[in-house]
Amino acid sequence: MHDLRTAAFIAYKSILKGNKSTFILLIFILSLSFLNMMFISGILNGLENLFYRTIINTYASDVAVNPQEKPELKQFILNQNEVQAEIQSIPGVIATTRRYSLAGSISFDKDKNGQFKNVSGAIIGIDPTQEQKVLTLNNLIISGHYLSDTDSDQILLSSALAGGYGIPAPSDLGGARVGDKVQITYSNGVMKTYTIKGIYNDAIGIFETFITAREAESVLNVYNSASQILVKTDIDHTPITTYQKRIQQLQSNLKIQTYLDLLGSFKSFLDALNLISVIVSAISVLVAAITIFVIIYVNAINKRKQIGILKAIGIRQTIIIWSYIFQSLFYALFGVIIGSFIVFLIITPLLNKYPINVEFGYLYLVHNPITIIGGIISMFLAGLLAGYLPARIVARQNIIKAIWG
Amino acid sequence: MITVKNLKKTYPGKVPTPALKGLSFIVQSGEFIALTGRSGSGKSTLLHQLGLLDNPTEGNIMIDQTDVLALSDTKKTFYRLTSLGYVFQEYALVAEFTALENVLLPAMALGNHNDQKERAKELLSLVGLEERLNYYPNELSGGQQQRVAIARALINHPKILFADEPTANLDTASSKTVLDIFLKLNKEEKLTIIMVTHEPDYAKLAQRNIELLDGLIIKDKKQ
């Protein structure tokens, strides 16, 4: 114990009476390393968060109830009014909405010369008023208007499918706009002409075209059914899996999925974001470790003679090594404190007030406790290693060589 | 008592350099010995071997029945801390420590920090620095720094004090002060002192003079 106390005392005095410029430079670099680690991971977390939010709000909702798959695959959820009412009665369920999924081909003759451009894709029938309580499609309208419950010959078109909005799509209609007429040929052979009522911003690439549920029922010739019921829940207070289980208990024959099951191709994108976050954090920690190592090593080399003298008067090597470890841990601590101050008390509040506007929403810095704790632990581990290695190299030198060269 | 038998030290290299060529002698407890000789005669090398700062190539050193060369590095370090005191030519103080802290450092390493604070002050008083306890080395003269180094060497009650040309960088007055302290310690505390010096006048103050030439003892005379 007194070894550690002696080491701490040597470290304390070395820092207190050491070179102030070196101290400031070291703390500055370490603060930047920590800040960089927290900022990049915060941005990537924010981006991930924004993606989840966008997917939940515009596409997947929290929970999706799908038709029975086993023992026999059904096309629709029958008696959807009753099913929806039952789900709605679960505590914590905020709203539900049904959807019809159809497939079809949309044709558009922009120049009215008989040259049609065609795109194939999903046509979704929605209850516009109810849909607004679950998803935010209505907020994404960039041209024209959102659908009304009674609309029958109007559609909402994706900006990616409309074309000319700078959003890449496998194919588009070459510049369809609000008021233009398009023809949809459904997979069941029904062919109808619709007017584009609105175009929504499809930055994340949903590529879906919306009609009213009423219109979908007329095309499909069904009633009181749904291809899917989307459920908005209070997931901030109850885990999503709890809702999944409760709904499953009520509707044991239906297939219940959470937004996590519906991520699809976004999953790989989000995984890539996580990987980038880990790589950037690792690089920041490495930079911090190398910085501490170099400075402690140079410091130890400069104090080689002093180290030799300490050994000569009987100070144990472990005390000397620990004194350097304490110094580097102190530098790491200071770096973390100052870096935290900048990132959590300056940058984060600033970005919360003025978030970065990206194509599909506002990007905030999001810090999660695991990343923060991981960052702090990484900085301290880096400090521990970067203090230990150079001190050990120098402290192991022969006393005579250390003192007299 | 220190018993040195056939002590040899050869520095390795393309052409190995023999620095000590088989020295044997006995130092009685309480003796004050001056090690003299020309530059390169091996006196500092001998002091380093006796002070356990270096390992001889061959030979044997017994200090009070302890075969000190057989000790592990860790035990040698502990032995230096508890039983040996060392005063270097260039004061060798820790720049970031005050005079008092420099003296206390070996006691702190031994876990006696609080108990020894008064002794540290007494030792600094013994070497005439009671007014300079909280001065840093760069605020002290060379002679004062050397006296702090002496106080530090004494803090853990060593059996033997090794001094490697302790007056080489000091003016005459400071040198005299340092030597007076050594004489006082030797006389009053019965401390064994082995001092390397170039100065014949200072060597005469010791009870015994061992003179080396080319790694061999050419004179071992009681004075």
Side-chain angles (χ1 to χ4, degrees), chain A residues 71-102:
Chain A
E72 184 189 343
L73 181 65
K74 303 264 186 181
Q75 193 182 353
F76 298 111
I77 300 166
L78 302 176
N79 300 316
Q80 68 82 26
N81 280 335
E82 291 79 0
V83 174
Q84 228 178 311
E86 272 191 20
I87 295 169
Q88 190 75 55
S89 69
I90 296 172
V93 169
I94 295 167
T96 58
T97 190
R98 66 162 169 171
R99 283 183 156 200
Y100 282 106
S101 294
L102 303 90

PDB file of all heavy atoms in Angstrom, chain A residues 71-102:
ATOM      1  N   PRO A  71     -51.552 -22.650 -39.559  1.00  0.00           N
ATOM      2  CA  PRO A  71     -51.117 -23.746 -40.458  1.00  0.00           C
ATOM      3  C   PRO A  71     -51.375 -23.442 -41.940  1.00  0.00           C
ATOM      4  O   PRO A  71     -50.871 -24.106 -42.824  1.00  0.00           O
ATOM      5  CB  PRO A  71     -51.969 -24.925 -39.987  1.00  0.00           C
ATOM      6  CG  PRO A  71     -53.201 -24.285 -39.436  1.00  0.00           C
ATOM      7  CD  PRO A  71     -52.773 -22.997 -38.850  1.00  0.00           C
ATOM      8  N   GLU A  72     -52.117 -22.361 -42.150  1.00  0.00           N
ATOM      9  CA  GLU A  72     -52.469 -22.062 -43.533  1.00  0.00           C
ATOM     10  C   GLU A  72     -52.231 -20.581 -43.767  1.00  0.00           C
ATOM     11  O   GLU A  72     -52.603 -19.737 -42.954  1.00  0.00           O
ATOM     12  CB  GLU A  72     -53.964 -22.389 -43.729  1.00  0.00           C
ATOM     13  CG  GLU A  72     -54.481 -22.221 -45.123  1.00  0.00           C
ATOM     14  CD  GLU A  72     -56.008 -22.354 -45.148  1.00  0.00           C
ATOM     15  OE1 GLU A  72     -56.578 -22.890 -44.171  1.00  0.00           O
ATOM     16  OE2 GLU A  72     -56.612 -21.921 -46.129  1.00  0.00           O
ATOM     17  N   LEU A  73     -51.582 -20.243 -44.831  1.00  0.00           N
ATOM     18  CA  LEU A  73     -51.269 -18.843 -45.124  1.00  0.00           C
ATOM     19  C   LEU A  73     -52.535 -18.110 -45.560  1.00  0.00           C
ATOM     20  O   LEU A  73     -53.215 -18.515 -46.484  1.00  0.00           O
ATOM     21  CB  LEU A  73     -50.213 -18.773 -46.233  1.00  0.00           C
ATOM     22  CG  LEU A  73     -49.761 -17.366 -46.629  1.00  0.00           C
ATOM     23  CD1 LEU A  73     -49.033 -16.673 -45.477  1.00  0.00           C
ATOM     24  CD2 LEU A  73     -48.892 -17.402 -47.868  1.00  0.00           C
ATOM     25  N   LYS A  74     -52.842 -17.033 -44.849  1.00  0.00           N
ATOM     26  CA  LYS A  74     -54.023 -16.225 -45.206  1.00  0.00           C
ATOM     27  C   LYS A  74     -53.547 -14.911 -45.818  1.00  0.00           C
ATOM     28  O   LYS A  74     -52.507 -14.373 -45.441  1.00  0.00           O
ATOM     29  CB  LYS A  74     -54.844 -15.926 -43.954  1.00  0.00           C
ATOM     30  CG  LYS A  74     -55.293 -17.143 -43.192  1.00  0.00           C
ATOM     31  CD  LYS A  74     -56.689 -17.545 -43.585  1.00  0.00           C
ATOM     32  CE  LYS A  74     -57.166 -18.689 -42.692  1.00  0.00           C
ATOM     33  NZ  LYS A  74     -58.478 -19.152 -43.024  1.00  0.00           N
ATOM     34  N   GLN A  75     -54.368 -14.386 -46.717  1.00  0.00           N
ATOM     35  CA  GLN A  75     -53.982 -13.147 -47.385  1.00  0.00           C
ATOM     36  C   GLN A  75     -54.320 -11.933 -46.523  1.00  0.00           C
ATOM     37  O   GLN A  75     -53.618 -10.927 -46.554  1.00  0.00           O
ATOM     38  CB  GLN A  75     -54.698 -13.052 -48.738  1.00  0.00           C
ATOM     39  CG  GLN A  75     -54.123 -11.952 -49.626  1.00  0.00           C
ATOM     40  CD  GLN A  75     -54.876 -11.825 -50.941  1.00  0.00           C
ATOM     41  OE1 GLN A  75     -55.739 -12.637 -51.256  1.00  0.00           O
ATOM     42  NE2 GLN A  75     -54.516 -10.818 -51.715  1.00  0.00           N
ATOM     43  N   PHE A  76     -55.404 -12.042 -45.733  1.00  0.00           N
ATOM     44  CA  PHE A  76     -55.871 -10.880 -44.972  1.00  0.00           C
ATOM     45  C   PHE A  76     -56.136 -11.227 -43.505  1.00  0.00           C
ATOM     46  O   PHE A  76     -56.361 -12.387 -43.174  1.00  0.00           O
ATOM     47  CB  PHE A  76     -57.180 -10.341 -45.572  1.00  0.00           C
ATOM     48  CG  PHE A  76     -57.026  -9.850 -46.987  1.00  0.00           C
ATOM     49  CD1 PHE A  76     -57.610 -10.534 -48.047  1.00  0.00           C
ATOM     50  CD2 PHE A  76     -56.290  -8.695 -47.260  1.00  0.00           C
ATOM     51  CE1 PHE A  76     -57.459 -10.085 -49.351  1.00  0.00           C
ATOM     52  CE2 PHE A  76     -56.150  -8.246 -48.571  1.00  0.00           C
ATOM     53  CZ  PHE A  76     -56.728  -8.946 -49.617  1.00  0.00           C
ATOM     54  N   ILE A  77     -56.137 -10.175 -42.715  1.00  0.00           N
ATOM     55  CA  ILE A  77     -56.651 -10.284 -41.345  1.00  0.00           C
ATOM     56  C   ILE A  77     -58.153 -10.016 -41.481  1.00  0.00           C
ATOM     57  O   ILE A  77     -58.543  -8.936 -41.978  1.00  0.00           O
ATOM     58  CB  ILE A  77     -56.025  -9.222 -40.430  1.00  0.00           C
ATOM     59  CG1 ILE A  77     -54.500  -9.382 -40.371  1.00  0.00           C
ATOM     60  CG2 ILE A  77     -56.640  -9.256 -39.028  1.00  0.00           C
ATOM     61  CD1 ILE A  77     -53.773  -8.191 -39.772  1.00  0.00           C
ATOM     62  N   LEU A  78     -58.963 -10.971 -41.078  1.00  0.00           N
ATOM     63  CA  LEU A  78     -60.406 -10.798 -41.213  1.00  0.00           C
ATOM     64  C   LEU A  78     -60.973 -10.090 -39.975  1.00  0.00           C
ATOM     65  O   LEU A  78     -60.334 -10.079 -38.923  1.00  0.00           O
ATOM     66  CB  LEU A  78     -61.076 -12.161 -41.419  1.00  0.00           C
ATOM     67  CG  LEU A  78     -60.564 -12.938 -42.648  1.00  0.00           C
ATOM     68  CD1 LEU A  78     -61.205 -14.324 -42.714  1.00  0.00           C
ATOM     69  CD2 LEU A  78     -60.814 -12.176 -43.943  1.00  0.00           C
ATOM     70  N   ASN A  79     -62.120  -9.515 -40.111  1.00  0.00           N
ATOM     71  CA  ASN A  79     -62.775  -8.779 -39.010  1.00  0.00           C
ATOM     72  C   ASN A  79     -61.807  -7.781 -38.374  1.00  0.00           C
ATOM     73  O   ASN A  79     -61.640  -7.736 -37.152  1.00  0.00           O
ATOM     74  CB  ASN A  79     -63.282  -9.752 -37.937  1.00  0.00           C
ATOM     75  CG  ASN A  79     -64.280 -10.726 -38.515  1.00  0.00           C
ATOM     76  OD1 ASN A  79     -65.169 -10.328 -39.287  1.00  0.00           O
ATOM     77  ND2 ASN A  79     -64.120 -12.000 -38.194  1.00  0.00           N
ATOM     78  N   GLN A  80     -61.163  -7.052 -39.205  1.00  0.00           N
ATOM     79  CA  GLN A  80     -60.107  -6.167 -38.688  1.00  0.00           C
ATOM     80  C   GLN A  80     -60.627  -5.135 -37.698  1.00  0.00           C
ATOM     81  O   GLN A  80     -59.903  -4.722 -36.807  1.00  0.00           O
ATOM     82  CB  GLN A  80     -59.328  -5.529 -39.835  1.00  0.00           C
ATOM     83  CG  GLN A  80     -60.057  -4.544 -40.695  1.00  0.00           C
ATOM     84  CD  GLN A  80     -60.112  -3.156 -40.112  1.00  0.00           C
ATOM     85  OE1 GLN A  80     -59.239  -2.791 -39.339  1.00  0.00           O
ATOM     86  NE2 GLN A  80     -61.158  -2.411 -40.468  1.00  0.00           N
ATOM     87  N   ASN A  81     -61.895  -4.736 -37.828  1.00  0.00           N
ATOM     88  CA  ASN A  81     -62.447  -3.761 -36.867  1.00  0.00           C
ATOM     89  C   ASN A  81     -62.375  -4.309 -35.446  1.00  0.00           C
ATOM     90  O   ASN A  81     -61.945  -3.612 -34.525  1.00  0.00           O
ATOM     91  CB  ASN A  81     -63.918  -3.453 -37.200  1.00  0.00           C
ATOM     92  CG  ASN A  81     -64.013  -2.441 -38.333  1.00  0.00           C
ATOM     93  OD1 ASN A  81     -63.094  -1.655 -38.536  1.00  0.00           O
ATOM     94  ND2 ASN A  81     -65.105  -2.487 -39.076  1.00  0.00           N
ATOM     95  N   GLU A  82     -62.743  -5.591 -35.279  1.00  0.00           N
ATOM     96  CA  GLU A  82     -62.726  -6.208 -33.959  1.00  0.00           C
ATOM     97  C   GLU A  82     -61.290  -6.408 -33.474  1.00  0.00           C
ATOM     98  O   GLU A  82     -60.971  -6.144 -32.306  1.00  0.00           O
ATOM     99  CB  GLU A  82     -63.457  -7.569 -33.984  1.00  0.00           C
ATOM    100  CG  GLU A  82     -64.956  -7.486 -34.183  1.00  0.00           C
ATOM    101  CD  GLU A  82     -65.392  -7.248 -35.634  1.00  0.00           C
ATOM    102  OE1 GLU A  82     -64.507  -7.144 -36.520  1.00  0.00           O
ATOM    103  OE2 GLU A  82     -66.594  -7.126 -35.883  1.00  0.00           O
ATOM    104  N   VAL A  83     -60.469  -6.875 -34.398  1.00  0.00           N
ATOM    105  CA  VAL A  83     -59.054  -7.110 -34.030  1.00  0.00           C
ATOM    106  C   VAL A  83     -58.409  -5.799 -33.596  1.00  0.00           C
ATOM    107  O   VAL A  83     -57.739  -5.718 -32.552  1.00  0.00           O
ATOM    108  CB  VAL A  83     -58.273  -7.724 -35.219  1.00  0.00           C
ATOM    109  CG1 VAL A  83     -56.786  -7.836 -34.881  1.00  0.00           C
ATOM    110  CG2 VAL A  83     -58.840  -9.080 -35.590  1.00  0.00           C
ATOM    111  N   GLN A  84     -58.659  -4.768 -34.367  1.00  0.00           N
ATOM    112  CA  GLN A  84     -58.081  -3.456 -34.065  1.00  0.00           C
ATOM    113  C   GLN A  84     -58.574  -2.963 -32.686  1.00  0.00           C
ATOM    114  O   GLN A  84     -57.782  -2.433 -31.901  1.00  0.00           O
ATOM    115  CB  GLN A  84     -58.512  -2.460 -35.144  1.00  0.00           C
ATOM    116  CG  GLN A  84     -57.329  -1.646 -35.682  1.00  0.00           C
ATOM    117  CD  GLN A  84     -57.752  -0.701 -36.786  1.00  0.00           C
ATOM    118  OE1 GLN A  84     -58.437  -1.119 -37.719  1.00  0.00           O
ATOM    119  NE2 GLN A  84     -57.333   0.529 -36.687  1.00  0.00           N
ATOM    120  N   ALA A  85     -59.852  -3.174 -32.431  1.00  0.00           N
ATOM    121  CA  ALA A  85     -60.429  -2.728 -31.151  1.00  0.00           C
ATOM    122  C   ALA A  85     -59.802  -3.484 -29.990  1.00  0.00           C
ATOM    123  O   ALA A  85     -59.497  -2.895 -28.943  1.00  0.00           O
ATOM    124  CB  ALA A  85     -61.944  -2.940 -31.175  1.00  0.00           C
ATOM    125  N   GLU A  86     -59.577  -4.767 -30.175  1.00  0.00           N
ATOM    126  CA  GLU A  86     -58.945  -5.565 -29.109  1.00  0.00           C
ATOM    127  C   GLU A  86     -57.529  -5.073 -28.815  1.00  0.00           C
ATOM    128  O   GLU A  86     -57.130  -4.928 -27.664  1.00  0.00           O
ATOM    129  CB  GLU A  86     -58.880  -7.037 -29.533  1.00  0.00           C
ATOM    130  CG  GLU A  86     -60.121  -7.817 -29.165  1.00  0.00           C
ATOM    131  CD  GLU A  86     -59.914  -9.317 -29.345  1.00  0.00           C
ATOM    132  OE1 GLU A  86     -58.750  -9.773 -29.383  1.00  0.00           O
ATOM    133  OE2 GLU A  86     -60.908 -10.037 -29.458  1.00  0.00           O
ATOM    134  N   ILE A  87     -56.809  -4.843 -29.901  1.00  0.00           N
ATOM    135  CA  ILE A  87     -55.410  -4.369 -29.729  1.00  0.00           C
ATOM    136  C   ILE A  87     -55.413  -2.995 -29.069  1.00  0.00           C
ATOM    137  O   ILE A  87     -54.615  -2.707 -28.188  1.00  0.00           O
ATOM    138  CB  ILE A  87     -54.682  -4.339 -31.090  1.00  0.00           C
ATOM    139  CG1 ILE A  87     -54.536  -5.750 -31.651  1.00  0.00           C
ATOM    140  CG2 ILE A  87     -53.294  -3.687 -30.957  1.00  0.00           C
ATOM    141  CD1 ILE A  87     -54.072  -5.818 -33.093  1.00  0.00           C
ATOM    142  N   GLN A  88     -56.338  -2.197 -29.497  1.00  0.00           N
ATOM    143  CA  GLN A  88     -56.435  -0.829 -28.978  1.00  0.00           C
ATOM    144  C   GLN A  88     -56.700  -0.831 -27.466  1.00  0.00           C
ATOM    145  O   GLN A  88     -56.324   0.109 -26.765  1.00  0.00           O
ATOM    146  CB  GLN A  88     -57.568  -0.116 -29.714  1.00  0.00           C
ATOM    147  CG  GLN A  88     -57.654   1.388 -29.476  1.00  0.00           C
ATOM    148  CD  GLN A  88     -56.584   2.166 -30.225  1.00  0.00           C
ATOM    149  OE1 GLN A  88     -56.462   2.041 -31.436  1.00  0.00           O
ATOM    150  NE2 GLN A  88     -55.774   2.917 -29.492  1.00  0.00           N
ATOM    151  N   SER A  89     -57.297  -1.929 -26.972  1.00  0.00           N
ATOM    152  CA  SER A  89     -57.643  -1.979 -25.546  1.00  0.00           C
ATOM    153  C   SER A  89     -56.447  -2.327 -24.654  1.00  0.00           C
ATOM    154  O   SER A  89     -56.535  -2.251 -23.432  1.00  0.00           O
ATOM    155  CB  SER A  89     -58.759  -3.014 -25.332  1.00  0.00           C
ATOM    156  OG  SER A  89     -58.234  -4.310 -25.564  1.00  0.00           O
ATOM    157  N   ILE A  90     -55.348  -2.723 -25.274  1.00  0.00           N
ATOM    158  CA  ILE A  90     -54.156  -3.069 -24.462  1.00  0.00           C
ATOM    159  C   ILE A  90     -53.569  -1.781 -23.876  1.00  0.00           C
ATOM    160  O   ILE A  90     -53.339  -0.818 -24.613  1.00  0.00           O
ATOM    161  CB  ILE A  90     -53.096  -3.786 -25.337  1.00  0.00           C
ATOM    162  CG1 ILE A  90     -53.653  -5.119 -25.843  1.00  0.00           C
ATOM    163  CG2 ILE A  90     -51.798  -3.989 -24.567  1.00  0.00           C
ATOM    164  CD1 ILE A  90     -52.761  -5.803 -26.863  1.00  0.00           C
ATOM    165  N   PRO A  91     -53.328  -1.750 -22.563  1.00  0.00           N
ATOM    166  CA  PRO A  91     -52.753  -0.543 -21.959  1.00  0.00           C
ATOM    167  C   PRO A  91     -51.388  -0.206 -22.601  1.00  0.00           C
ATOM    168  O   PRO A  91     -50.562  -1.103 -22.797  1.00  0.00           O
ATOM    169  CB  PRO A  91     -52.566  -0.923 -20.489  1.00  0.00           C
ATOM    170  CG  PRO A  91     -53.496  -2.063 -20.271  1.00  0.00           C
ATOM    171  CD  PRO A  91     -53.594  -2.795 -21.562  1.00  0.00           C
ATOM    172  N   GLY A  92     -51.221   1.036 -22.922  1.00  0.00           N
ATOM    173  CA  GLY A  92     -49.957   1.455 -23.533  1.00  0.00           C
ATOM    174  C   GLY A  92     -50.026   1.556 -25.041  1.00  0.00           C
ATOM    175  O   GLY A  92     -49.140   2.146 -25.669  1.00  0.00           O
ATOM    176  N   VAL A  93     -51.096   0.967 -25.641  1.00  0.00           N
ATOM    177  CA  VAL A  93     -51.260   1.095 -27.091  1.00  0.00           C
ATOM    178  C   VAL A  93     -51.876   2.464 -27.362  1.00  0.00           C
ATOM    179  O   VAL A  93     -52.936   2.804 -26.823  1.00  0.00           O
ATOM    180  CB  VAL A  93     -52.147  -0.038 -27.669  1.00  0.00           C
ATOM    181  CG1 VAL A  93     -52.527   0.264 -29.106  1.00  0.00           C
ATOM    182  CG2 VAL A  93     -51.405  -1.366 -27.583  1.00  0.00           C
ATOM    183  N   ILE A  94     -51.179   3.236 -28.177  1.00  0.00           N
ATOM    184  CA  ILE A  94     -51.624   4.615 -28.411  1.00  0.00           C
ATOM    185  C   ILE A  94     -52.614   4.686 -29.579  1.00  0.00           C
ATOM    186  O   ILE A  94     -53.640   5.346 -29.496  1.00  0.00           O
ATOM    187  CB  ILE A  94     -50.401   5.531 -28.661  1.00  0.00           C
ATOM    188  CG1 ILE A  94     -49.557   5.578 -27.379  1.00  0.00           C
ATOM    189  CG2 ILE A  94     -50.837   6.931 -29.079  1.00  0.00           C
ATOM    190  CD1 ILE A  94     -48.191   6.180 -27.564  1.00  0.00           C
ATOM    191  N   ALA A  95     -52.294   3.988 -30.651  1.00  0.00           N
ATOM    192  CA  ALA A  95     -53.180   4.031 -31.824  1.00  0.00           C
ATOM    193  C   ALA A  95     -52.910   2.831 -32.721  1.00  0.00           C
ATOM    194  O   ALA A  95     -51.837   2.203 -32.630  1.00  0.00           O
ATOM    195  CB  ALA A  95     -52.957   5.320 -32.594  1.00  0.00           C
ATOM    196  N   THR A  96     -53.886   2.517 -33.550  1.00  0.00           N
ATOM    197  CA  THR A  96     -53.702   1.437 -34.530  1.00  0.00           C
ATOM    198  C   THR A  96     -54.246   1.919 -35.878  1.00  0.00           C
ATOM    199  O   THR A  96     -55.098   2.820 -35.915  1.00  0.00           O
ATOM    200  CB  THR A  96     -54.473   0.163 -34.126  1.00  0.00           C
ATOM    201  OG1 THR A  96     -55.858   0.498 -34.005  1.00  0.00           O
ATOM    202  CG2 THR A  96     -53.961  -0.413 -32.830  1.00  0.00           C
ATOM    203  N   THR A  97     -53.755   1.317 -36.934  1.00  0.00           N
ATOM    204  CA  THR A  97     -54.286   1.621 -38.262  1.00  0.00           C
ATOM    205  C   THR A  97     -54.115   0.389 -39.141  1.00  0.00           C
ATOM    206  O   THR A  97     -53.186  -0.400 -38.931  1.00  0.00           O
ATOM    207  CB  THR A  97     -53.602   2.860 -38.875  1.00  0.00           C
ATOM    208  OG1 THR A  97     -54.304   3.241 -40.051  1.00  0.00           O
ATOM    209  CG2 THR A  97     -52.150   2.586 -39.240  1.00  0.00           C
ATOM    210  N   ARG A  98     -55.010   0.236 -40.073  1.00  0.00           N
ATOM    211  CA  ARG A  98     -54.901  -0.939 -40.946  1.00  0.00           C
ATOM    212  C   ARG A  98     -54.328  -0.523 -42.296  1.00  0.00           C
ATOM    213  O   ARG A  98     -54.363   0.657 -42.676  1.00  0.00           O
ATOM    214  CB  ARG A  98     -56.264  -1.568 -41.155  1.00  0.00           C
ATOM    215  CG  ARG A  98     -57.172  -0.637 -41.929  1.00  0.00           C
ATOM    216  CD  ARG A  98     -58.333  -1.324 -42.515  1.00  0.00           C
ATOM    217  NE  ARG A  98     -59.287  -0.345 -43.020  1.00  0.00           N
ATOM    218  CZ  ARG A  98     -60.333  -0.652 -43.748  1.00  0.00           C
ATOM    219  NH1 ARG A  98     -60.582  -1.903 -44.057  1.00  0.00           N
ATOM    220  NH2 ARG A  98     -61.145   0.286 -44.177  1.00  0.00           N
ATOM    221  N   ARG A  99     -53.828  -1.517 -42.996  1.00  0.00           N
ATOM    222  CA  ARG A  99     -53.298  -1.271 -44.338  1.00  0.00           C
ATOM    223  C   ARG A  99     -53.668  -2.443 -45.248  1.00  0.00           C
ATOM    224  O   ARG A  99     -53.764  -3.584 -44.787  1.00  0.00           O
ATOM    225  CB  ARG A  99     -51.771  -1.135 -44.299  1.00  0.00           C
ATOM    226  CG  ARG A  99     -51.310   0.196 -43.780  1.00  0.00           C
ATOM    227  CD  ARG A  99     -49.800   0.312 -43.818  1.00  0.00           C
ATOM    228  NE  ARG A  99     -49.378   1.703 -43.872  1.00  0.00           N
ATOM    229  CZ  ARG A  99     -48.191   2.119 -44.278  1.00  0.00           C
ATOM    230  NH1 ARG A  99     -47.302   1.233 -44.691  1.00  0.00           N
ATOM    231  NH2 ARG A  99     -47.898   3.386 -44.296  1.00  0.00           N
ATOM    232  N   TYR A 100     -53.833  -2.121 -46.502  1.00  0.00           N
ATOM    233  CA  TYR A 100     -53.968  -3.164 -47.527  1.00  0.00           C
ATOM    234  C   TYR A 100     -52.715  -3.109 -48.390  1.00  0.00           C
ATOM    235  O   TYR A 100     -52.273  -2.024 -48.779  1.00  0.00           O
ATOM    236  CB  TYR A 100     -55.186  -2.896 -48.419  1.00  0.00           C
ATOM    237  CG  TYR A 100     -56.508  -3.268 -47.796  1.00  0.00           C
ATOM    238  CD1 TYR A 100     -57.376  -2.290 -47.330  1.00  0.00           C
ATOM    239  CD2 TYR A 100     -56.896  -4.611 -47.709  1.00  0.00           C
ATOM    240  CE1 TYR A 100     -58.598  -2.625 -46.781  1.00  0.00           C
ATOM    241  CE2 TYR A 100     -58.124  -4.952 -47.152  1.00  0.00           C
ATOM    242  CZ  TYR A 100     -58.972  -3.959 -46.688  1.00  0.00           C
ATOM    243  OH  TYR A 100     -60.175  -4.297 -46.141  1.00  0.00           O
ATOM    244  N   SER A 101     -52.176  -4.253 -48.676  1.00  0.00           N
ATOM    245  CA  SER A 101     -51.007  -4.290 -49.575  1.00  0.00           C
ATOM    246  C   SER A 101     -51.431  -4.866 -50.911  1.00  0.00           C
ATOM    247  O   SER A 101     -51.990  -5.964 -50.977  1.00  0.00           O
ATOM    248  CB  SER A 101     -49.910  -5.175 -48.989  1.00  0.00           C
ATOM    249  OG  SER A 101     -49.422  -4.587 -47.825  1.00  0.00           O
ATOM    250  N   LEU A 102     -51.137  -4.111 -51.944  1.00  0.00           N
ATOM    251  CA  LEU A 102     -51.424  -4.585 -53.303  1.00  0.00           C
ATOM    252  C   LEU A 102     -50.145  -4.438 -54.118  1.00  0.00           C
ATOM    253  O   LEU A 102     -49.232  -3.700 -53.736  1.00  0.00           O
ATOM    254  CB  LEU A 102     -52.529  -3.747 -53.956  1.00  0.00           C
ATOM    255  CG  LEU A 102     -53.882  -3.633 -53.249  1.00  0.00           C
ATOM    256  CD1 LEU A 102     -53.899  -2.447 -52.299  1.00  0.00           C
ATOM    257  CD2 LEU A 102     -54.985  -3.498 -54.294  1.00  0.00           C
TER     258      LEU A 102
END
